[in-house]
PDB file of all heavy atoms in Angstrom:
ATOM      1  N   VAL A   1       0.831  -1.196   0.025  1.00  0.00           N
ATOM      2  CA  VAL A   1       0.001  -0.006  -0.015  1.00  0.00           C
ATOM      3  C   VAL A   1       0.819   1.263   0.034  1.00  0.00           C
ATOM      4  O   VAL A   1       0.304   2.367   0.000  1.00  0.00           O
ATOM      5  CB  VAL A   1      -1.037   0.047   1.162  1.00  0.00           C
ATOM      6  CG1 VAL A   1      -1.903  -1.181   1.137  1.00  0.00           C
ATOM      7  CG2 VAL A   1      -0.308   0.146   2.504  1.00  0.00           C
ATOM      8  N   ALA A   2       2.113   1.118  -0.006  1.00  0.00           N
ATOM      9  CA  ALA A   2       3.007   2.292   0.052  1.00  0.00           C
ATOM     10  C   ALA A   2       2.689   3.336  -0.978  1.00  0.00           C
ATOM     11  O   ALA A   2       2.795   4.550  -0.717  1.00  0.00           O
ATOM     12  CB  ALA A   2       4.474   1.878   0.010  1.00  0.00           C
ATOM     13  N   ASN A   3       2.397   2.950  -2.212  1.00  0.00           N
ATOM     14  CA  ASN A   3       2.150   3.880  -3.271  1.00  0.00           C
ATOM     15  C   ASN A   3       0.684   4.199  -3.538  1.00  0.00           C
ATOM     16  O   ASN A   3       0.342   4.861  -4.470  1.00  0.00           O
ATOM     17  CB  ASN A   3       2.768   3.348  -4.588  1.00  0.00           C
ATOM     18  CG  ASN A   3       4.301   3.328  -4.415  1.00  0.00           C
ATOM     19  OD1 ASN A   3       4.911   4.184  -3.870  1.00  0.00           O
ATOM     20  ND2 ASN A   3       4.894   2.260  -4.995  1.00  0.00           N
ATOM     21  N   LEU A   4      -0.205   3.657  -2.638  1.00  0.00           N
ATOM     22  CA  LEU A   4      -1.632   3.991  -2.782  1.00  0.00           C
ATOM     23  C   LEU A   4      -1.923   5.331  -2.176  1.00  0.00           C
ATOM     24  O   LEU A   4      -1.313   5.726  -1.157  1.00  0.00           O
ATOM     25  CB  LEU A   4      -2.466   2.907  -2.081  1.00  0.00           C
ATOM     26  CG  LEU A   4      -2.428   1.497  -2.612  1.00  0.00           C
ATOM     27  CD1 LEU A   4      -3.398   0.611  -1.778  1.00  0.00           C
ATOM     28  CD2 LEU A   4      -2.758   1.438  -4.032  1.00  0.00           C
ATOM     29  N   SER A   5      -2.915   6.021  -2.783  1.00  0.00           N
ATOM     30  CA  SER A   5      -3.359   7.272  -2.175  1.00  0.00           C
ATOM     31  C   SER A   5      -4.166   6.937  -0.937  1.00  0.00           C
ATOM     32  O   SER A   5      -4.546   5.740  -0.696  1.00  0.00           O
ATOM     33  CB  SER A   5      -4.237   8.031  -3.145  1.00  0.00           C
ATOM     34  OG  SER A   5      -5.480   7.284  -3.368  1.00  0.00           O
ATOM     35  N   ASP A   6      -4.445   7.927  -0.099  1.00  0.00           N
ATOM     36  CA  ASP A   6      -5.272   7.687   1.061  1.00  0.00           C
ATOM     37  C   ASP A   6      -6.655   7.137   0.675  1.00  0.00           C
ATOM     38  O   ASP A   6      -7.188   6.240   1.301  1.00  0.00           O
ATOM     39  CB  ASP A   6      -5.389   8.947   1.937  1.00  0.00           C
ATOM     40  CG  ASP A   6      -4.193   9.311   2.653  1.00  0.00           C
ATOM     41  OD1 ASP A   6      -3.177   8.526   2.660  1.00  0.00           O
ATOM     42  OD2 ASP A   6      -4.166  10.429   3.268  1.00  0.00           O
ATOM     43  N   ALA A   7      -7.202   7.648  -0.443  1.00  0.00           N
ATOM     44  CA  ALA A   7      -8.522   7.224  -0.903  1.00  0.00           C
ATOM     45  C   ALA A   7      -8.487   5.795  -1.314  1.00  0.00           C
ATOM     46  O   ALA A   7      -9.373   5.007  -0.982  1.00  0.00           O
ATOM     47  CB  ALA A   7      -9.002   8.096  -2.016  1.00  0.00           C
ATOM     48  N   GLN A   8      -7.417   5.377  -2.002  1.00  0.00           N
ATOM     49  CA  GLN A   8      -7.301   3.962  -2.413  1.00  0.00           C
ATOM     50  C   GLN A   8      -7.069   3.046  -1.186  1.00  0.00           C
ATOM     51  O   GLN A   8      -7.641   1.955  -1.161  1.00  0.00           O
ATOM     52  CB  GLN A   8      -6.089   3.762  -3.369  1.00  0.00           C
ATOM     53  CG  GLN A   8      -6.324   4.498  -4.755  1.00  0.00           C
ATOM     54  CD  GLN A   8      -5.053   4.507  -5.538  1.00  0.00           C
ATOM     55  OE1 GLN A   8      -3.965   4.874  -4.999  1.00  0.00           O
ATOM     56  NE2 GLN A   8      -5.157   4.152  -6.820  1.00  0.00           N
ATOM     57  N   LEU A   9      -6.296   3.507  -0.196  1.00  0.00           N
ATOM     58  CA  LEU A   9      -6.086   2.758   0.975  1.00  0.00           C
ATOM     59  C   LEU A   9      -7.434   2.600   1.745  1.00  0.00           C
ATOM     60  O   LEU A   9      -7.740   1.488   2.214  1.00  0.00           O
ATOM     61  CB  LEU A   9      -5.018   3.391   1.922  1.00  0.00           C
ATOM     62  CG  LEU A   9      -4.790   2.716   3.237  1.00  0.00           C
ATOM     63  CD1 LEU A   9      -4.435   1.260   3.079  1.00  0.00           C
ATOM     64  CD2 LEU A   9      -3.732   3.466   4.018  1.00  0.00           C
ATOM     65  N   ALA A  10      -8.210   3.641   1.824  1.00  0.00           N
ATOM     66  CA  ALA A  10      -9.504   3.653   2.462  1.00  0.00           C
ATOM     67  C   ALA A  10     -10.426   2.647   1.803  1.00  0.00           C
ATOM     68  O   ALA A  10     -11.104   1.866   2.471  1.00  0.00           O
ATOM     69  CB  ALA A  10     -10.105   4.987   2.493  1.00  0.00           C
ATOM     70  N   GLU A  11     -10.405   2.548   0.434  1.00  0.00           N
ATOM     71  CA  GLU A  11     -11.167   1.576  -0.268  1.00  0.00           C
ATOM     72  C   GLU A  11     -10.742   0.159   0.006  1.00  0.00           C
ATOM     73  O   GLU A  11     -11.560  -0.745   0.255  1.00  0.00           O
ATOM     74  CB  GLU A  11     -11.040   1.809  -1.798  1.00  0.00           C
ATOM     75  CG  GLU A  11     -11.790   3.035  -2.294  1.00  0.00           C
ATOM     76  CD  GLU A  11     -11.598   3.234  -3.794  1.00  0.00           C
ATOM     77  OE1 GLU A  11     -11.303   2.244  -4.552  1.00  0.00           O
ATOM     78  OE2 GLU A  11     -11.739   4.357  -4.244  1.00  0.00           O
ATOM     79  N   ARG A  12      -9.464  -0.045   0.077  1.00  0.00           N
ATOM     80  CA  ARG A  12      -8.938  -1.367   0.391  1.00  0.00           C
ATOM     81  C   ARG A  12      -9.290  -1.787   1.806  1.00  0.00           C
ATOM     82  O   ARG A  12      -9.678  -2.979   2.022  1.00  0.00           O
ATOM     83  CB  ARG A  12      -7.431  -1.329   0.215  1.00  0.00           C
ATOM     84  CG  ARG A  12      -6.744  -2.627   0.328  1.00  0.00           C
ATOM     85  CD  ARG A  12      -5.948  -2.977  -0.920  1.00  0.00           C
ATOM     86  NE  ARG A  12      -5.254  -4.249  -0.708  1.00  0.00           N
ATOM     87  CZ  ARG A  12      -3.963  -4.442  -0.663  1.00  0.00           C
ATOM     88  NH1 ARG A  12      -3.152  -3.462  -0.905  1.00  0.00           N
ATOM     89  NH2 ARG A  12      -3.512  -5.613  -0.471  1.00  0.00           N
ATOM     90  N   CYS A  13      -9.205  -0.914   2.740  1.00  0.00           N
ATOM     91  CA  CYS A  13      -9.608  -1.214   4.104  1.00  0.00           C
ATOM     92  C   CYS A  13     -11.078  -1.536   4.176  1.00  0.00           C
ATOM     93  O   CYS A  13     -11.486  -2.580   4.817  1.00  0.00           O
ATOM     94  CB  CYS A  13      -9.355  -0.018   5.044  1.00  0.00           C
ATOM     95  SG  CYS A  13      -7.606   0.284   5.348  1.00  0.00           S
ATOM     96  N   SER A  14     -11.894  -0.764   3.520  1.00  0.00           N
ATOM     97  CA  SER A  14     -13.372  -0.993   3.555  1.00  0.00           C
ATOM     98  C   SER A  14     -13.690  -2.370   2.896  1.00  0.00           C
ATOM     99  O   SER A  14     -14.571  -3.049   3.378  1.00  0.00           O
ATOM    100  CB  SER A  14     -14.052   0.095   2.763  1.00  0.00           C
ATOM    101  OG  SER A  14     -15.428  -0.021   2.867  1.00  0.00           O
ATOM    102  N   ALA A  15     -12.949  -2.756   1.891  1.00  0.00           N
ATOM    103  CA  ALA A  15     -13.214  -4.016   1.189  1.00  0.00           C
ATOM    104  C   ALA A  15     -12.976  -5.218   2.072  1.00  0.00           C
ATOM    105  O   ALA A  15     -13.631  -6.271   1.892  1.00  0.00           O
ATOM    106  CB  ALA A  15     -12.294  -4.113  -0.069  1.00  0.00           C
ATOM    107  N   VAL A  16     -12.109  -5.110   3.110  1.00  0.00           N
ATOM    108  CA  VAL A  16     -11.955  -6.220   4.027  1.00  0.00           C
ATOM    109  C   VAL A  16     -12.625  -6.049   5.357  1.00  0.00           C
ATOM    110  O   VAL A  16     -12.412  -6.753   6.320  1.00  0.00           O
ATOM    111  CB  VAL A  16     -10.392  -6.545   4.263  1.00  0.00           C
ATOM    112  CG1 VAL A  16      -9.725  -6.893   2.938  1.00  0.00           C
ATOM    113  CG2 VAL A  16      -9.733  -5.365   4.945  1.00  0.00           C
ATOM    114  N   GLY A  17     -13.459  -5.037   5.447  1.00  0.00           N
ATOM    115  CA  GLY A  17     -14.330  -4.816   6.629  1.00  0.00           C
ATOM    116  C   GLY A  17     -13.650  -4.056   7.732  1.00  0.00           C
ATOM    117  O   GLY A  17     -14.116  -4.093   8.827  1.00  0.00           O
ATOM    118  N   THR A  18     -12.621  -3.296   7.420  1.00  0.00           N
ATOM    119  CA  THR A  18     -11.960  -2.441   8.410  1.00  0.00           C
ATOM    120  C   THR A  18     -11.925  -0.991   7.908  1.00  0.00           C
ATOM    121  O   THR A  18     -10.820  -0.589   7.474  1.00  0.00           O
ATOM    122  CB  THR A  18     -10.543  -2.919   8.720  1.00  0.00           C
ATOM    123  OG1 THR A  18      -9.750  -2.964   7.540  1.00  0.00           O
ATOM    124  CG2 THR A  18     -10.566  -4.274   9.372  1.00  0.00           C
ATOM    125  N   PRO A  19     -13.035  -0.307   7.893  1.00  0.00           N
ATOM    126  CA  PRO A  19     -13.046   1.052   7.403  1.00  0.00           C
ATOM    127  C   PRO A  19     -12.046   1.976   8.084  1.00  0.00           C
ATOM    128  O   PRO A  19     -11.767   1.794   9.266  1.00  0.00           O
ATOM    129  CB  PRO A  19     -14.463   1.484   7.570  1.00  0.00           C
ATOM    130  CG  PRO A  19     -15.083   0.566   8.483  1.00  0.00           C
ATOM    131  CD  PRO A  19     -14.270  -0.687   8.533  1.00  0.00           C
ATOM    132  N   TRP A  20     -11.462   2.882   7.356  1.00  0.00           N
ATOM    133  CA  TRP A  20     -10.596   3.847   7.861  1.00  0.00           C
ATOM    134  C   TRP A  20     -11.449   4.890   8.622  1.00  0.00           C
ATOM    135  O   TRP A  20     -12.101   5.712   7.998  1.00  0.00           O
ATOM    136  CB  TRP A  20      -9.845   4.570   6.696  1.00  0.00           C
ATOM    137  CG  TRP A  20      -8.668   5.398   7.148  1.00  0.00           C
ATOM    138  CD1 TRP A  20      -8.455   5.980   8.370  1.00  0.00           C
ATOM    139  CD2 TRP A  20      -7.614   5.834   6.317  1.00  0.00           C
ATOM    140  NE1 TRP A  20      -7.338   6.721   8.403  1.00  0.00           N
ATOM    141  CE2 TRP A  20      -6.785   6.710   7.181  1.00  0.00           C
ATOM    142  CE3 TRP A  20      -7.262   5.648   4.997  1.00  0.00           C
ATOM    143  CZ2 TRP A  20      -5.624   7.267   6.661  1.00  0.00           C
ATOM    144  CZ3 TRP A  20      -6.108   6.224   4.537  1.00  0.00           C
ATOM    145  CH2 TRP A  20      -5.315   7.064   5.344  1.00  0.00           C
ATOM    146  N   GLU A  21     -11.452   4.781   9.906  1.00  0.00           N
ATOM    147  CA  GLU A  21     -12.358   5.612  10.715  1.00  0.00           C
ATOM    148  C   GLU A  21     -11.769   6.960  10.979  1.00  0.00           C
ATOM    149  O   GLU A  21     -10.551   7.208  10.900  1.00  0.00           O
ATOM    150  CB  GLU A  21     -12.568   4.845  12.074  1.00  0.00           C
ATOM    151  CG  GLU A  21     -13.265   3.566  11.903  1.00  0.00           C
ATOM    152  CD  GLU A  21     -13.385   2.769  13.184  1.00  0.00           C
ATOM    153  OE1 GLU A  21     -13.011   3.275  14.247  1.00  0.00           O
ATOM    154  OE2 GLU A  21     -13.894   1.619  13.095  1.00  0.00           O
ATOM    155  N   GLU A  22     -12.654   7.863  11.286  1.00  0.00           N
ATOM    156  CA  GLU A  22     -12.296   9.237  11.635  1.00  0.00           C
ATOM    157  C   GLU A  22     -11.255   9.254  12.724  1.00  0.00           C
ATOM    158  O   GLU A  22     -11.379   8.563  13.736  1.00  0.00           O
ATOM    159  CB  GLU A  22     -13.561   9.946  12.153  1.00  0.00           C
ATOM    160  CG  GLU A  22     -13.378  11.378  12.539  1.00  0.00           C
ATOM    161  CD  GLU A  22     -13.453  12.340  11.320  1.00  0.00           C
ATOM    162  OE1 GLU A  22     -14.153  11.987  10.325  1.00  0.00           O
ATOM    163  OE2 GLU A  22     -12.860  13.406  11.396  1.00  0.00           O
ATOM    164  N   GLY A  23     -10.217  10.024  12.517  1.00  0.00           N
ATOM    165  CA  GLY A  23      -9.185  10.189  13.512  1.00  0.00           C
ATOM    166  C   GLY A  23      -8.014   9.159  13.415  1.00  0.00           C
ATOM    167  O   GLY A  23      -7.035   9.258  14.112  1.00  0.00           O
ATOM    168  N   MET A  24      -8.189   8.117  12.547  1.00  0.00           N
ATOM    169  CA  MET A  24      -7.094   7.109  12.382  1.00  0.00           C
ATOM    170  C   MET A  24      -6.032   7.723  11.565  1.00  0.00           C
ATOM    171  O   MET A  24      -6.246   8.441  10.567  1.00  0.00           O
ATOM    172  CB  MET A  24      -7.627   5.864  11.735  1.00  0.00           C
ATOM    173  CG  MET A  24      -8.433   4.938  12.597  1.00  0.00           C
ATOM    174  SD  MET A  24      -9.062   3.534  11.638  1.00  0.00           S
ATOM    175  CE  MET A  24      -7.665   2.477  11.605  1.00  0.00           C
ATOM    176  N   THR A  25      -4.763   7.425  11.901  1.00  0.00           N
ATOM    177  CA  THR A  25      -3.684   7.765  11.059  1.00  0.00           C
ATOM    178  C   THR A  25      -3.558   6.756   9.885  1.00  0.00           C
ATOM    179  O   THR A  25      -4.138   5.670   9.934  1.00  0.00           O
ATOM    180  CB  THR A  25      -2.350   7.793  11.818  1.00  0.00           C
ATOM    181  OG1 THR A  25      -2.023   6.463  12.241  1.00  0.00           O
ATOM    182  CG2 THR A  25      -2.425   8.690  13.070  1.00  0.00           C
ATOM    183  N   ARG A  26      -2.749   7.113   8.928  1.00  0.00           N
ATOM    184  CA  ARG A  26      -2.522   6.163   7.808  1.00  0.00           C
ATOM    185  C   ARG A  26      -1.858   4.908   8.353  1.00  0.00           C
ATOM    186  O   ARG A  26      -2.268   3.779   7.976  1.00  0.00           O
ATOM    187  CB  ARG A  26      -1.624   6.803   6.788  1.00  0.00           C
ATOM    188  CG  ARG A  26      -1.347   5.947   5.558  1.00  0.00           C
ATOM    189  CD  ARG A  26      -0.527   6.636   4.492  1.00  0.00           C
ATOM    190  NE  ARG A  26      -0.212   5.692   3.405  1.00  0.00           N
ATOM    191  CZ  ARG A  26      -0.936   5.582   2.282  1.00  0.00           C
ATOM    192  NH1 ARG A  26      -2.011   6.283   2.147  1.00  0.00           N
ATOM    193  NH2 ARG A  26      -0.561   4.676   1.400  1.00  0.00           N
ATOM    194  N   GLY A  27      -0.927   5.002   9.271  1.00  0.00           N
ATOM    195  CA  GLY A  27      -0.277   3.869   9.888  1.00  0.00           C
ATOM    196  C   GLY A  27      -1.255   2.983  10.584  1.00  0.00           C
ATOM    197  O   GLY A  27      -1.236   1.699  10.494  1.00  0.00           O
ATOM    198  N   GLU A  28      -2.185   3.547  11.262  1.00  0.00           N
ATOM    199  CA  GLU A  28      -3.183   2.760  11.977  1.00  0.00           C
ATOM    200  C   GLU A  28      -4.091   2.044  10.986  1.00  0.00           C
ATOM    201  O   GLU A  28      -4.518   0.897  11.187  1.00  0.00           O
ATOM    202  CB  GLU A  28      -4.047   3.636  12.912  1.00  0.00           C
ATOM    203  CG  GLU A  28      -3.287   4.127  14.108  1.00  0.00           C
ATOM    204  CD  GLU A  28      -3.999   5.260  14.846  1.00  0.00           C
ATOM    205  OE1 GLU A  28      -4.831   5.977  14.266  1.00  0.00           O
ATOM    206  OE2 GLU A  28      -3.664   5.350  16.070  1.00  0.00           O
ATOM    207  N   ALA A  29      -4.455   2.730   9.902  1.00  0.00           N
ATOM    208  CA  ALA A  29      -5.284   2.106   8.859  1.00  0.00           C
ATOM    209  C   ALA A  29      -4.538   0.919   8.232  1.00  0.00           C
ATOM    210  O   ALA A  29      -5.171  -0.156   7.963  1.00  0.00           O
ATOM    211  CB  ALA A  29      -5.702   3.100   7.795  1.00  0.00           C
ATOM    212  N   VAL A  30      -3.267   1.105   7.991  1.00  0.00           N
ATOM    213  CA  VAL A  30      -2.438   0.002   7.406  1.00  0.00           C
ATOM    214  C   VAL A  30      -2.408  -1.170   8.385  1.00  0.00           C
ATOM    215  O   VAL A  30      -2.559  -2.330   7.976  1.00  0.00           O
ATOM    216  CB  VAL A  30      -1.076   0.433   6.983  1.00  0.00           C
ATOM    217  CG1 VAL A  30      -0.142  -0.701   6.614  1.00  0.00           C
ATOM    218  CG2 VAL A  30      -1.127   1.541   5.856  1.00  0.00           C
ATOM    219  N   SER A  31      -2.170  -0.897   9.662  1.00  0.00           N
ATOM    220  CA  SER A  31      -2.191  -1.957  10.647  1.00  0.00           C
ATOM    221  C   SER A  31      -3.488  -2.697  10.744  1.00  0.00           C
ATOM    222  O   SER A  31      -3.535  -3.923  10.836  1.00  0.00           O
ATOM    223  CB  SER A  31      -1.813  -1.380  12.020  1.00  0.00           C
ATOM    224  OG  SER A  31      -0.477  -0.989  12.069  1.00  0.00           O
ATOM    225  N   ALA A  32      -4.607  -1.935  10.708  1.00  0.00           N
ATOM    226  CA  ALA A  32      -5.950  -2.592  10.742  1.00  0.00           C
ATOM    227  C   ALA A  32      -6.138  -3.429   9.479  1.00  0.00           C
ATOM    228  O   ALA A  32      -6.675  -4.585   9.620  1.00  0.00           O
ATOM    229  CB  ALA A  32      -7.046  -1.482  10.782  1.00  0.00           C
ATOM    230  N   LEU A  33      -5.711  -2.962   8.327  1.00  0.00           N
ATOM    231  CA  LEU A  33      -5.789  -3.777   7.084  1.00  0.00           C
ATOM    232  C   LEU A  33      -5.002  -5.007   7.176  1.00  0.00           C
ATOM    233  O   LEU A  33      -5.482  -6.143   6.863  1.00  0.00           O
ATOM    234  CB  LEU A  33      -5.344  -2.910   5.924  1.00  0.00           C
ATOM    235  CG  LEU A  33      -5.225  -3.620   4.547  1.00  0.00           C
ATOM    236  CD1 LEU A  33      -6.628  -4.135   4.092  1.00  0.00           C
ATOM    237  CD2 LEU A  33      -4.681  -2.657   3.525  1.00  0.00           C
ATOM    238  N   ALA A  34      -3.798  -4.928   7.703  1.00  0.00           N
ATOM    239  CA  ALA A  34      -2.897  -6.094   7.880  1.00  0.00           C
ATOM    240  C   ALA A  34      -3.539  -7.089   8.838  1.00  0.00           C
ATOM    241  O   ALA A  34      -3.509  -8.312   8.520  1.00  0.00           O
ATOM    242  CB  ALA A  34      -1.506  -5.628   8.338  1.00  0.00           C
ATOM    243  N   PHE A  35      -4.021  -6.607   9.971  1.00  0.00           N
ATOM    244  CA  PHE A  35      -4.582  -7.542  10.925  1.00  0.00           C
ATOM    245  C   PHE A  35      -5.797  -8.277  10.332  1.00  0.00           C
ATOM    246  O   PHE A  35      -5.991  -9.435  10.530  1.00  0.00           O
ATOM    247  CB  PHE A  35      -4.891  -6.839  12.208  1.00  0.00           C
ATOM    248  CG  PHE A  35      -5.381  -7.803  13.288  1.00  0.00           C
ATOM    249  CD1 PHE A  35      -4.480  -8.661  13.908  1.00  0.00           C
ATOM    250  CD2 PHE A  35      -6.752  -7.957  13.513  1.00  0.00           C
ATOM    251  CE1 PHE A  35      -4.928  -9.566  14.849  1.00  0.00           C
ATOM    252  CE2 PHE A  35      -7.240  -8.918  14.472  1.00  0.00           C
ATOM    253  CZ  PHE A  35      -6.278  -9.739  15.092  1.00  0.00           C
ATOM    254  N   ALA A  36      -6.667  -7.513   9.640  1.00  0.00           N
ATOM    255  CA  ALA A  36      -7.840  -8.166   9.102  1.00  0.00           C
ATOM    256  C   ALA A  36      -7.452  -9.187   8.047  1.00  0.00           C
ATOM    257  O   ALA A  36      -8.062 -10.256   7.940  1.00  0.00           O
ATOM    258  CB  ALA A  36      -8.699  -7.058   8.409  1.00  0.00           C
ATOM    259  N   THR A  37      -6.451  -8.877   7.243  1.00  0.00           N
ATOM    260  CA  THR A  37      -5.943  -9.824   6.256  1.00  0.00           C
ATOM    261  C   THR A  37      -5.400 -11.076   6.914  1.00  0.00           C
ATOM    262  O   THR A  37      -5.738 -12.195   6.559  1.00  0.00           O
ATOM    263  CB  THR A  37      -4.774  -9.164   5.405  1.00  0.00           C
ATOM    264  OG1 THR A  37      -5.369  -8.013   4.761  1.00  0.00           O
ATOM    265  CG2 THR A  37      -4.262 -10.155   4.355  1.00  0.00           C
ATOM    266  N   TRP A  38      -4.637 -10.930   7.991  1.00  0.00           N
ATOM    267  CA  TRP A  38      -4.050 -12.069   8.689  1.00  0.00           C
ATOM    268  C   TRP A  38      -5.163 -12.861   9.425  1.00  0.00           C
ATOM    269  O   TRP A  38      -5.161 -14.065   9.379  1.00  0.00           O
ATOM    270  CB  TRP A  38      -2.997 -11.603   9.720  1.00  0.00           C
ATOM    271  CG  TRP A  38      -2.574 -12.647  10.641  1.00  0.00           C
ATOM    272  CD1 TRP A  38      -2.843 -12.772  11.974  1.00  0.00           C
ATOM    273  CD2 TRP A  38      -1.767 -13.860  10.301  1.00  0.00           C
ATOM    274  NE1 TRP A  38      -2.278 -13.925  12.513  1.00  0.00           N
ATOM    275  CE2 TRP A  38      -1.594 -14.626  11.505  1.00  0.00           C
ATOM    276  CE3 TRP A  38      -1.191 -14.333   9.129  1.00  0.00           C
ATOM    277  CZ2 TRP A  38      -0.925 -15.768  11.528  1.00  0.00           C
ATOM    278  CZ3 TRP A  38      -0.495 -15.441   9.210  1.00  0.00           C
ATOM    279  CH2 TRP A  38      -0.341 -16.228  10.366  1.00  0.00           C
ATOM    280  N   ASP A  39      -6.107 -12.141  10.018  1.00  0.00           N
ATOM    281  CA  ASP A  39      -7.166 -12.808  10.753  1.00  0.00           C
ATOM    282  C   ASP A  39      -8.023 -13.721   9.895  1.00  0.00           C
ATOM    283  O   ASP A  39      -8.508 -14.703  10.374  1.00  0.00           O
ATOM    284  CB  ASP A  39      -8.008 -11.735  11.492  1.00  0.00           C
ATOM    285  CG  ASP A  39      -8.772 -12.331  12.654  1.00  0.00           C
ATOM    286  OD1 ASP A  39      -8.236 -13.133  13.441  1.00  0.00           O
ATOM    287  OD2 ASP A  39      -9.933 -11.892  12.803  1.00  0.00           O
ATOM    288  N   ALA A  40      -8.074 -13.377   8.610  1.00  0.00           N
ATOM    289  CA  ALA A  40      -8.875 -14.173   7.667  1.00  0.00           C
ATOM    290  C   ALA A  40      -8.078 -15.293   7.032  1.00  0.00           C
ATOM    291  O   ALA A  40      -8.587 -16.166   6.345  1.00  0.00           O
ATOM    292  CB  ALA A  40      -9.446 -13.297   6.566  1.00  0.00           C
ATOM    293  N   ALA A  41      -6.764 -15.395   7.375  1.00  0.00           N
ATOM    294  CA  ALA A  41      -5.904 -16.401   6.782  1.00  0.00           C
ATOM    295  C   ALA A  41      -6.071 -17.762   7.483  1.00  0.00           C
ATOM    296  O   ALA A  41      -6.360 -17.831   8.695  1.00  0.00           O
ATOM    297  CB  ALA A  41      -4.431 -15.941   6.886  1.00  0.00           C
ATOM    298  N   PRO A  42      -5.884 -18.828   6.744  1.00  0.00           N
ATOM    299  CA  PRO A  42      -6.032 -20.170   7.365  1.00  0.00           C
ATOM    300  C   PRO A  42      -5.112 -20.375   8.545  1.00  0.00           C
ATOM    301  O   PRO A  42      -5.485 -21.022   9.520  1.00  0.00           O
ATOM    302  CB  PRO A  42      -5.631 -21.143   6.169  1.00  0.00           C
ATOM    303  CG  PRO A  42      -5.963 -20.362   4.973  1.00  0.00           C
ATOM    304  CD  PRO A  42      -5.685 -18.887   5.285  1.00  0.00           C
ATOM    305  N   ALA A  43      -3.906 -19.804   8.539  1.00  0.00           N
ATOM    306  CA  ALA A  43      -2.959 -19.947   9.652  1.00  0.00           C
ATOM    307  C   ALA A  43      -3.571 -19.340  10.958  1.00  0.00           C
ATOM    308  O   ALA A  43      -3.438 -19.924  11.992  1.00  0.00           O
ATOM    309  CB  ALA A  43      -1.638 -19.332   9.312  1.00  0.00           C
ATOM    310  N   ALA A  44      -4.129 -18.162  10.793  1.00  0.00           N
ATOM    311  CA  ALA A  44      -4.721 -17.518  12.015  1.00  0.00           C
ATOM    312  C   ALA A  44      -5.897 -18.346  12.520  1.00  0.00           C
ATOM    313  O   ALA A  44      -6.153 -18.426  13.720  1.00  0.00           O
ATOM    314  CB  ALA A  44      -5.112 -16.076  11.681  1.00  0.00           C
TER     315      ALA A  44
END
């Protein structure tokens, strides 16, 4: 996501069910996206 715009990152977060909420930093949104991705993985 390094080269995604904030709007693209917000769309990606929303697609996995972790919307970029008011007051979240970009880093927090990336962390939420990563955790949602991991949490849905067979290993988790």
